Coordinates of all heavy atoms in Angstrom, one line a residue:
M1 N 83.5 62.7 198.4 CA 83.5 64.0 197.9 C 82.5 64.2 196.8 O 82.7 64.8 195.8 CB 84.9 64.4 197.4 CG 85.9 64.7 198.4 SD 87.3 65.4 197.7 CE 88.6 64.3 198.3
P2 N 81.3 63.6 196.9 CA 80.3 63.7 195.9 C 79.7 65.1 195.7 O 79.3 65.4 194.6 CB 79.3 62.7 196.3 CG 79.4 62.5 197.7 CD 80.8 62.8 198.1
D3 N 79.7 65.9 196.7 CA 79.0 67.2 196.5 C 80.0 68.3 196.1 O 79.6 69.5 196.1 CB 78.3 67.6 197.8 CG 79.2 67.5 199.0 OD1 80.1 66.7 199.0 OD2 79.0 68.3 200.0
M4 N 81.2 68.0 195.7 CA 82.2 69.0 195.2 C 82.0 69.3 193.8 O 81.6 68.3 193.0 CB 83.6 68.6 195.5 CG 84.0 68.6 196.9 SD 85.7 68.0 197.2 CE 86.6 69.2 196.4
S5 N 82.1 70.5 193.3 CA 82.0 70.8 191.9 C 83.2 70.3 191.2 O 84.2 69.9 191.8 CB 81.9 72.3 191.7 OG 83.0 72.9 192.1
A6 N 83.2 70.3 189.9 CA 84.3 69.8 189.1 C 85.5 70.6 189.2 O 86.6 70.1 189.3 CB 83.8 69.7 187.6
S7 N 85.3 72.0 189.3 CA 86.5 72.8 189.4 C 87.2 72.7 190.7 O 88.4 72.8 190.9 CB 86.1 74.3 189.1 OG 85.1 74.7 190.1
A8 N 86.3 72.5 191.8 CA 86.9 72.3 193.1 C 87.7 71.0 193.2 O 88.8 71.0 193.8 CB 85.8 72.3 194.2
S9 N 87.2 70.0 192.6 CA 87.9 68.7 192.6 C 89.2 68.8 191.8 O 90.2 68.2 192.1 CB 87.0 67.5 192.2 OG 86.8 67.6 190.8
L10 N 89.1 69.5 190.7 CA 90.3 69.7 189.9 C 91.4 70.5 190.6 O 92.6 70.1 190.6 CB 90.0 70.4 188.6 CG 91.1 70.7 187.6 CD1 91.6 69.3 187.1 CD2 90.6 71.5 186.4
A11 N 90.9 71.5 191.4 CA 91.9 72.3 192.2 C 92.5 71.4 193.3 O 93.7 71.6 193.6 CB 91.2 73.5 192.8
M12 N 91.7 70.6 193.9 CA 92.2 69.7 194.9 C 93.2 68.7 194.4 O 94.2 68.5 195.0 CB 91.0 68.9 195.6 CG 90.2 69.8 196.5 SD 91.1 70.5 197.8 CE 91.3 69.1 198.8
T13 N 93.0 68.2 193.2 CA 94.0 67.3 192.6 C 95.3 68.0 192.3 O 96.4 67.4 192.5 CB 93.4 66.6 191.3 OG1 93.1 67.6 190.4 CG2 92.2 65.7 191.6
H14 N 95.2 69.3 191.9 CA 96.5 70.0 191.6 C 97.2 70.3 192.9 O 98.4 70.2 193.0 CB 96.2 71.3 190.9 CG 95.8 71.1 189.4 ND1 96.6 70.5 188.6 CD2 94.7 71.6 188.7 CE1 96.1 70.5 187.4 NE2 94.9 71.1 187.4
L15 N 96.4 70.7 194.0 CA 97.1 70.9 195.3 C 97.7 69.7 195.9 O 98.8 69.7 196.4 CB 96.1 71.5 196.2 CG 95.7 73.0 196.0 CD1 94.6 73.4 196.9 CD2 96.8 73.9 196.0
V16 N 97.0 68.6 195.7 CA 97.6 67.3 196.2 C 98.8 66.9 195.5 O 99.8 66.5 196.1 CB 96.5 66.2 196.2 CG1 97.1 64.8 196.5 CG2 95.4 66.5 197.1
S17 N 98.8 67.1 194.2 CA 100.0 66.8 193.4 C 101.2 67.7 193.8 O 102.3 67.3 193.8 CB 99.7 66.8 191.9 OG 99.4 68.2 191.5
L18 N 100.9 69.0 194.0 CA 101.9 69.9 194.5 C 102.5 69.6 195.9 O 103.6 69.7 196.1 CB 101.4 71.4 194.5 CG 101.2 72.0 193.2 CD1 100.5 73.4 193.3 CD2 102.5 72.2 192.4
A19 N 101.6 69.1 196.7 CA 102.0 68.7 198.0 C 102.9 67.5 198.0 O 103.8 67.3 198.8 CB 100.8 68.4 198.9
K20 N 102.7 66.6 197.0 CA 103.6 65.4 196.9 C 104.9 65.8 196.4 O 105.9 65.0 196.6 CB 102.9 64.4 196.1 CG 101.7 63.7 196.8 CD 101.1 62.6 196.0 CE 99.9 62.0 196.8 NZ 99.4 60.8 196.2
E21 N 105.0 66.9 195.7 CA 106.3 67.3 195.1 C 107.2 67.9 196.1 O 108.4 68.1 195.9 CB 106.1 68.3 194.0 CG 105.5 67.7 192.7 CD 105.2 68.7 191.7 OE1 105.6 69.9 191.8 OE2 104.4 68.4 190.7
V22 N 106.7 68.3 197.3 CA 107.5 68.9 198.3 C 108.4 67.8 198.9 O 108.0 66.7 199.2 CB 106.5 69.5 199.4 CG1 107.4 70.0 200.6 CG2 105.7 70.6 198.9
D23 N 109.7 68.3 199.1 CA 110.6 67.4 199.7 C 110.3 67.1 201.2 O 110.3 68.1 201.9 CB 112.0 68.0 199.5 CG 113.1 67.0 200.0 OD1 112.8 65.8 200.2 OD2 114.3 67.5 200.1
E24 N 110.1 65.9 201.6 CA 109.7 65.6 202.9 C 110.9 65.7 203.9 O 110.7 65.8 205.1 CB 109.0 64.3 203.0 CG 107.7 64.2 202.3 CD 107.0 62.9 202.4 OE1 107.5 62.0 203.2 OE2 106.0 62.7 201.7
D25 N 112.1 65.8 203.4 CA 113.3 65.9 204.3 C 113.6 67.4 204.6 O 114.4 67.7 205.4 CB 114.5 65.3 203.6 CG 114.3 63.8 203.5 OD1 113.6 63.2 204.3 OD2 114.9 63.2 202.5
K26 N 112.9 68.3 203.9 CA 113.2 69.7 204.0 C 112.3 70.2 205.2 O 111.1 70.0 205.3 CB 112.8 70.4 202.8 CG 113.1 71.9 202.8 CD 112.8 72.5 201.4 CE 113.1 73.9 201.4 NZ 112.8 74.5 200.1
V27 N 113.0 70.9 206.1 CA 112.3 71.5 207.3 C 111.9 72.9 207.0 O 112.8 73.7 206.6 CB 113.1 71.4 208.5 CG1 112.5 72.0 209.7 CG2 113.5 69.9 208.8
T28 N 110.7 73.3 207.2 CA 110.2 74.7 207.0 C 109.5 75.2 208.2 O 109.0 74.4 209.0 CB 109.2 74.8 205.8 OG1 108.1 74.0 206.1 CG2 109.9 74.3 204.5
P29 N 109.5 76.5 208.5 CA 108.9 77.0 209.7 C 107.4 76.8 209.7 O 106.8 76.7 210.8 CB 109.3 78.5 209.7 CG 109.7 78.8 208.3 CD 110.1 77.5 207.7
G30 N 106.7 76.9 208.6 CA 105.3 76.7 208.5 C 104.5 77.9 209.0 O 105.0 79.0 209.2
V31 N 103.2 77.6 209.3 CA 102.3 78.7 209.7 C 102.7 79.1 211.1 O 102.6 80.3 211.5 CB 100.9 78.2 209.6 CG1 99.9 79.2 210.2 CG2 100.5 77.8 208.2
L32 N 103.0 78.2 212.0 CA 103.3 78.5 213.4 C 104.5 79.4 213.4 O 104.6 80.4 214.2 CB 103.6 77.2 214.2 CG 103.9 77.5 215.7 CD1 102.7 78.1 216.4 CD2 104.3 76.2 216.3
G33 N 105.5 79.1 212.6 CA 106.7 80.0 212.6 C 106.4 81.4 212.1 O 106.9 82.4 212.6
F34 N 105.5 81.5 211.1 CA 105.1 82.8 210.6 C 104.3 83.6 211.7 O 104.6 84.8 211.9 CB 104.2 82.7 209.4 CG 103.6 84.0 209.0 CD1 104.4 85.0 208.3 CD2 102.3 84.3 209.2 CE1 103.9 86.2 207.9 CE2 101.8 85.5 208.8 CZ 102.6 86.5 208.2
I35 N 103.5 82.9 212.4 CA 102.7 83.5 213.5 C 103.6 84.0 214.6 O 103.5 85.2 215.1 CB 101.6 82.6 214.0 CG1 100.5 82.4 213.0 CG2 101.0 83.1 215.3 CD1 99.5 81.3 213.3
V36 N 104.6 83.2 215.0 CA 105.5 83.6 216.0 C 106.3 84.8 215.6 O 106.5 85.8 216.3 CB 106.4 82.5 216.4 CG1 107.6 82.9 217.3 CG2 105.6 81.4 217.1
F37 N 106.8 84.8 214.3 CA 107.6 85.9 213.8 C 106.7 87.2 213.7 O 107.2 88.3 214.1 CB 108.1 85.5 212.4 CG 108.9 86.6 211.8 CD1 110.3 86.8 212.2 CD2 108.4 87.5 210.8 CE1 111.1 87.8 211.6 CE2 109.2 88.5 210.3 CZ 110.5 88.6 210.7
A38 N 105.5 87.1 213.3 CA 104.6 88.2 213.2 C 104.3 88.8 214.6 O 104.3 90.0 214.8 CB 103.3 87.8 212.5
V39 N 104.1 88.0 215.6 CA 103.9 88.5 217.0 C 105.1 89.2 217.5 O 105.1 90.2 218.1 CB 103.5 87.3 217.9 CG1 103.5 87.7 219.4 CG2 102.1 86.8 217.5
M40 N 106.3 88.6 217.2 CA 107.5 89.2 217.7 C 107.8 90.6 217.0 O 108.2 91.6 217.6 CB 108.7 88.3 217.4 CG 108.8 87.1 218.4 SD 110.1 85.9 218.0 CE 111.5 87.0 218.2
A41 N 107.4 90.7 215.7 CA 107.6 91.9 214.9 C 106.6 93.0 215.5 O 107.0 94.1 215.7 CB 107.3 91.7 213.5
L42 N 105.4 92.6 215.8 CA 104.4 93.5 216.4 C 104.9 94.0 217.8 O 104.8 95.2 218.2 CB 103.1 92.9 216.5 CG 102.3 92.8 215.2 CD1 101.0 92.0 215.4 CD2 102.0 94.2 214.7
A43 N 105.5 93.1 218.6 CA 106.0 93.4 219.9 C 107.2 94.4 219.8 O 107.2 95.4 220.5 CB 106.5 92.2 220.7
V44 N 108.1 94.2 218.8 CA 109.2 95.1 218.6 C 108.7 96.5 218.2 O 109.1 97.5 218.6 CB 110.2 94.6 217.6 CG1 111.2 95.6 217.2 CG2 110.9 93.4 218.2
W45 N 107.7 96.5 217.3 CA 107.1 97.8 216.8 C 106.5 98.5 218.0 O 106.7 99.7 218.1 CB 106.1 97.5 215.7 CG 105.3 98.7 215.3 CD1 105.8 99.6 214.4 CD2 104.0 99.1 215.6 NE1 104.9 100.6 214.2 CE2 103.8 100.3 215.0 CE3 103.1 98.6 216.5 CZ2 102.6 101.0 215.1 CZ3 101.9 99.3 216.6 CH2 101.6 100.5 216.0
G46 N 105.8 97.8 218.9 CA 105.1 98.4 220.0 C 106.2 99.0 221.0 O 106.0 100.1 221.5
L47 N 107.3 98.2 221.2 CA 108.3 98.7 222.1 C 109.0 99.9 221.5 O 109.3 100.9 222.2 CB 109.3 97.6 222.3 CG 108.9 96.5 223.3 CD1 109.9 95.3 223.3 CD2 108.7 97.0 224.7
M48 N 109.2 99.9 220.2 CA 109.9 101.1 219.6 C 109.0 102.3 219.7 O 109.4 103.4 219.9 CB 110.2 100.8 218.1 CG 111.3 99.8 218.0 SD 112.9 100.3 218.6 CE 113.3 101.5 217.3
K49 N 107.7 102.1 219.5 CA 106.7 103.3 219.6 C 106.7 103.8 221.0 O 106.7 105.0 221.2 CB 105.4 102.8 219.2 CG 104.4 103.9 219.0 CD 103.1 103.4 218.4 CE 102.1 104.5 218.3 NZ 100.8 104.1 217.7
S50 N 106.7 102.9 222.0 CA 106.7 103.3 223.4 C 108.0 104.0 223.7 O 108.0 105.1 224.4 CB 106.5 102.1 224.3 OG 106.7 102.5 225.6
M51 N 109.1 103.5 223.3 CA 110.4 104.2 223.5 C 110.5 105.6 222.9 O 111.0 106.5 223.5 CB 111.6 103.3 223.0 CG 112.9 103.9 223.3 SD 114.3 103.1 222.6 CE 114.0 103.5 220.9
N52 N 110.0 105.7 221.7 CA 109.9 107.0 221.0 C 109.1 108.0 221.8 O 109.5 109.1 222.0 CB 109.4 106.8 219.6 CG 109.6 108.1 218.8 OD1 110.4 108.9 219.1 ND2 108.9 108.2 217.7
R53 N 108.0 107.5 222.3 CA 107.1 108.4 223.1 C 107.8 108.8 224.4 O 107.7 110.0 224.8 CB 105.8 107.6 223.5 CG 104.7 108.5 224.0 CD 103.4 107.8 224.2 NE 103.2 106.7 223.3 CZ 102.8 105.5 223.6 NH1 102.6 105.2 224.9 NH2 102.6 104.5 222.8
H54 N 108.5 107.9 225.1 CA 109.2 108.2 226.3 C 110.4 109.2 226.0 O 110.7 110.1 226.8 CB 109.7 107.0 227.0 CG 108.6 106.3 227.8 ND1 107.7 105.4 227.2 CD2 108.2 106.4 229.1 CE1 106.9 104.9 228.1 NE2 107.1 105.5 229.2
M55 N 111.1 108.9 224.9 CA 112.2 109.8 224.6 C 111.8 111.2 224.3 O 112.5 112.2 224.5 CB 113.0 109.2 223.5 CG 113.8 108.0 223.8 SD 115.0 108.2 225.2 CE 116.2 109.1 224.3
N56 N 110.6 111.4 223.7 CA 110.1 112.7 223.4 C 109.7 113.4 224.6 O 109.7 114.7 224.6 CB 108.9 112.6 222.4 CG 109.3 112.3 221.0 OD1 110.4 112.5 220.6 ND2 108.4 111.7 220.3
R57 N 109.4 112.7 225.7 CA 109.0 113.4 227.0 C 110.3 113.9 227.8 O 110.1 114.6 228.7 CB 108.2 112.4 227.9 CG 106.9 112.1 227.3 CD 106.1 111.2 228.2 NE 104.9 110.8 227.6 CZ 104.1 109.9 228.1 NH1 104.5 109.2 229.2 NH2 103.0 109.6 227.5
V58 N 111.4 113.4 227.4 CA 112.7 113.7 228.2 C 113.1 115.2 227.8 O 113.1 115.6 226.7 CB 113.8 112.8 227.8 CG1 115.1 113.2 228.4 CG2 113.5 111.4 228.2
D59 N 113.4 115.9 228.9 CA 113.8 117.3 228.7 C 115.3 117.3 228.8 O 115.9 116.9 229.8 CB 113.2 118.2 229.9 CG 113.6 119.6 229.7 OD1 113.9 120.0 228.6 OD2 113.6 120.4 230.7
F60 N 116.0 117.7 227.7 CA 117.4 117.6 227.6 C 118.2 118.8 228.1 O 119.4 118.9 228.0 CB 117.9 117.3 226.1 CG 117.5 115.8 225.8 CD1 116.5 115.6 224.9 CD2 118.3 114.8 226.2 CE1 116.2 114.3 224.6 CE2 118.0 113.5 225.9 CZ 117.0 113.2 225.0
T61 N 117.4 119.9 228.5 CA 118.1 121.0 229.0 C 118.6 120.7 230.4 O 117.9 120.2 231.2 CB 117.2 122.2 229.0 OG1 116.0 121.9 229.8 CG2 116.7 122.6 227.6
Q62 N 119.9 121.1 230.6 CA 120.5 120.7 231.9 C 120.4 122.0 232.8 O 120.9 123.0 232.5 CB 122.0 120.3 231.7 CG 122.6 119.9 232.9 CD 124.0 119.4 232.6 OE1 124.5 119.5 231.5 NE2 124.7 118.9 233.6
V63 N 119.9 121.7 234.0 CA 119.8 122.8 235.0 C 121.1 122.7 235.9 O 121.3 121.6 236.4 CB 118.5 122.7 235.8 CG1 118.5 123.7 236.9 CG2 117.3 122.7 234.9
P64 N 121.8 123.7 236.1 CA 123.0 123.6 236.9 C 122.6 123.3 238.4 O 121.7 123.9 238.9 CB 123.7 125.0 236.8 CG 122.7 125.9 236.2 CD 121.7 125.1 235.5
D65 N 123.4 122.5 239.0 CA 123.2 122.1 240.4 C 123.7 123.2 241.3 O 124.9 123.5 241.2 CB 123.9 120.8 240.7 CG 123.5 120.2 242.0 OD1 122.5 120.6 242.6 OD2 124.3 119.3 242.5
P66 N 122.9 123.8 242.2 CA 123.5 124.8 243.1 C 124.6 124.4 244.0 O 125.5 125.1 244.3 CB 122.2 125.3 243.9 CG 121.1 124.4 243.6 CD 121.5 123.5 242.4
K67 N 124.5 123.1 244.4 CA 125.6 122.6 245.3 C 126.9 122.5 244.5 O 128.0 122.8 245.1 CB 125.2 121.2 245.8 CG 124.0 121.3 246.8 CD 123.7 119.9 247.2 CE 122.4 119.9 248.1 NZ 122.1 118.6 248.5
A68 N 126.9 122.1 243.2 CA 128.1 122.0 242.4 C 128.6 123.4 242.2 O 129.9 123.6 242.2 CB 127.8 121.3 241.1
E69 N 127.8 124.4 242.0 CA 128.3 125.8 241.8 C 129.0 126.3 243.0 O 130.0 127.0 243.0 CB 127.1 126.7 241.4 CG 126.6 126.5 240.0 CD 125.5 127.5 239.7 OE1 125.2 128.4 240.5 OE2 125.0 127.4 238.6
Q70 N 128.4 126.0 244.2 CA 129.1 126.4 245.5 C 130.4 125.7 245.6 O 131.4 126.4 246.1 CB 128.2 126.1 246.7 CG 127.0 127.0 246.7 CD 126.0 126.5 247.9 OE1 126.3 125.6 248.6 NE2 125.0 127.3 248.0
A71 N 130.5 124.5 245.2 CA 131.8 123.8 245.3 C 132.8 124.3 244.3 O 134.0 124.4 244.6 CB 131.6 122.3 245.1
E72 N 132.4 124.7 243.2 CA 133.3 125.3 242.2 C 133.8 126.7 242.6 O 134.9 127.1 242.3 CB 132.6 125.4 240.8 CG 132.4 124.1 240.1 CD 131.7 124.3 238.7 OE1 131.4 125.5 238.4 OE2 131.5 123.3 238.1
S73 N 132.9 127.5 243.2 CA 133.3 128.8 243.6 C 134.4 128.9 244.7 O 135.1 129.8 244.8 CB 132.1 129.7 244.0 OG 131.5 129.1 245.2
G74 N 134.5 127.8 245.4 CA 135.5 127.7 246.4 C 135.2 128.4 247.7 O 134.0 128.6 248.0
P75 N 136.2 129.0 248.4 CA 135.9 129.7 249.7 C 135.2 131.0 249.4 O 135.1 131.5 248.3 CB 137.3 129.9 250.3 CG 138.2 129.7 249.2 CD 137.6 128.8 248.1
A76 N 134.6 131.6 250.4 CA 133.8 132.8 250.3 C 134.6 134.0 249.9 O 134.1 135.0 249.4 CB 133.1 133.1 251.6
G77 N 135.9 134.0 250.1 CA 136.7 135.1 249.7 C 137.2 135.0 248.3 O 138.1 135.8 247.9
S78 N 136.7 134.2 247.4 CA 137.2 134.1 246.1 C 136.7 135.3 245.2 O 135.8 136.0 245.6 CB 136.7 132.8 245.4 OG 135.4 132.8 245.2
E79 N 137.3 135.4 244.1 CA 137.0 136.6 243.2 C 135.6 136.7 242.7 O 135.0 137.7 242.7 CB 138.0 136.6 242.0 CG 137.9 137.8 241.2 CD 139.0 137.7 240.1 OE1 140.1 137.4 240.3 OE2 138.5 138.0 238.9
S80 N 135.0 135.5 242.3 CA 133.7 135.6 241.7 C 132.6 135.8 242.8 O 131.6 136.4 242.6 CB 133.4 134.3 241.0 OG 133.5 133.2 241.9
A81 N 132.9 135.3 244.0 CA 131.9 135.5 245.1 C 132.0 136.9 245.7 O 131.1 137.4 246.2 CB 132.1 134.5 246.2
A82 N 133.2 137.6 245.6 CA 133.4 138.9 246.2 C 132.8 140.0 245.3 O 132.5 141.1 245.8 CB 134.9 139.1 246.4
S83 N 132.6 139.8 244.0 CA 132.1 140.8 243.2 C 130.7 140.5 242.8 O 130.4 139.9 241.8 CB 133.0 141.0 241.9 OG 133.0 139.8 241.2
P84 N 129.7 141.1 243.5 CA 128.3 140.8 243.2 C 127.9 141.5 241.9 O 126.9 141.2 241.3 CB 127.6 141.3 244.4 CG 128.5 142.3 245.0 CD 129.9 141.9 244.7
S85 N 128.6 142.5 241.4 CA 128.2 143.2 240.2 C 128.8 142.6 239.0 O 128.8 143.2 237.9 CB 128.7 144.7 240.3 OG 130.1 144.7 240.4
A86 N 129.3 141.4 239.1 CA 129.9 140.7 237.9 C 128.8 140.4 236.9 O 127.7 139.8 237.2 CB 130.6 139.5 238.3
G87 N 129.0 140.8 235.7 CA 127.9 140.6 234.6 C 128.1 139.2 233.9 O 129.0 138.4 234.3
P88 N 127.3 139.0 232.9 CA 127.4 137.7 232.2 C 128.8 137.5 231.5 O 129.2 136.4 231.4 CB 126.3 137.8 231.2 CG 125.5 139.0 231.4 CD 126.2 139.8 232.4
A89 N 129.4 138.6 231.1 CA 130.7 138.5 230.4 C 131.7 138.0 231.4 O 132.6 137.2 231.1 CB 131.1 139.8 229.8
D90 N 131.7 138.5 232.6 CA 132.6 138.0 233.7 C 132.3 136.6 234.0 O 133.3 135.8 234.3 CB 132.5 138.9 234.9 CG 133.0 140.3 234.7 OD1 133.8 140.5 233.7 OD2 132.5 141.2 235.4
A91 N 131.0 136.2 234.1 CA 130.7 134.8 234.4 C 131.2 133.8 233.3 O 131.7 132.8 233.6 CB 129.2 134.6 234.6
E92 N 131.1 134.3 232.0 CA 131.6 133.4 230.9 C 133.1 133.3 231.0 O 133.7 132.3 230.7 CB 131.2 134.0 229.6 CG 129.7 133.7 229.3 CD 129.3 134.3 227.9 OE1 130.2 134.6 227.1 OE2 128.1 134.3 227.7
A93 N 133.8 134.4 231.4 CA 135.3 134.4 231.4 C 135.7 133.5 232.5 O 136.8 132.9 232.4 CB 135.8 135.9 231.6
S94 N 135.0 133.4 233.6 CA 135.4 132.6 234.7 C 135.0 131.1 234.5 O 135.3 130.2 235.3 CB 134.8 133.1 236.0 OG 133.4 132.9 236.0
G95 N 134.2 130.8 233.5 CA 133.8 129.5 233.2 C 132.5 129.1 233.7 O 132.0 127.9 233.5
Q96 N 131.8 129.9 234.4 CA 130.5 129.5 235.0 C 129.4 129.6 234.0 O 128.4 129.0 234.2 CB 130.2 130.5 236.2 CG 131.1 130.2 237.4 CD 130.8 131.2 238.5 OE1 130.0 132.0 238.4 NE2 131.5 131.0 239.6
G97 N 129.5 130.4 233.0 CA 128.4 130.6 232.0 C 128.4 129.5 231.0 O 127.4 129.4 230.2
K98 N 129.4 128.6 230.9 CA 129.4 127.6 229.9 C 128.5 126.4 230.4 O 128.6 126.0 231.6 CB 130.8 127.1 229.7 CG 131.7 128.2 229.1 CD 133.1 127.6 228.8 CE 134.0 128.7 228.3 NZ 135.3 128.3 228.1
K99 N 127.8 125.8 229.5 CA 127.0 124.6 229.8 C 127.9 123.4 229.8 O 128.7 123.2 228.9 CB 125.8 124.5 228.8 CG 124.8 125.5 229.0 CD 123.6 125.2 228.1 CE 122.6 126.2 228.2 NZ 121.4 126.0 227.3
Q100 N 127.6 122.5 230.7 CA 128.3 121.3 230.8 C 127.5 120.3 229.9 O 126.3 120.2 230.1 CB 128.4 120.7 232.2 CG 129.2 121.7 233.1 CD 130.7 121.7 232.8 OE1 131.3 120.7 232.3 NE2 131.3 122.9 232.9
G101 N 128.1 119.6 229.0 CA 127.3 118.8 228.1 C 127.9 117.5 227.9 O 127.8 116.6 227.4

C-alpha cells in the first residue's frame, strides 16, 4: 500500500480495528439480505400499485339480472305483472325497487 495517502491508511486501520471488534459468532444478514429484502419490498409495492389500479377499474354498481326478476315475479298472473301502470312507489312497495347489496 505504498501509494495510499496518510488519511486513507489511517481510515483503513480504524476500519480494520472495527472489523475485529465484531463478534464472529454473531450471524447477520449482510448486504445480500438487504438486497433480497429491498427486492421483495419493491415487488410488494408494485403488486399493491397494480391491485389499486385494478380495483379502481371495477364498477361496483349492480345491474339487476332480468332472469332473476322473472323468477321473483312468479307466474304471469301475479299482481306486479298484471298491472303495467305500476309506478316506482308500487315497485318499491313490492320489493323490486330495492338494490341487493
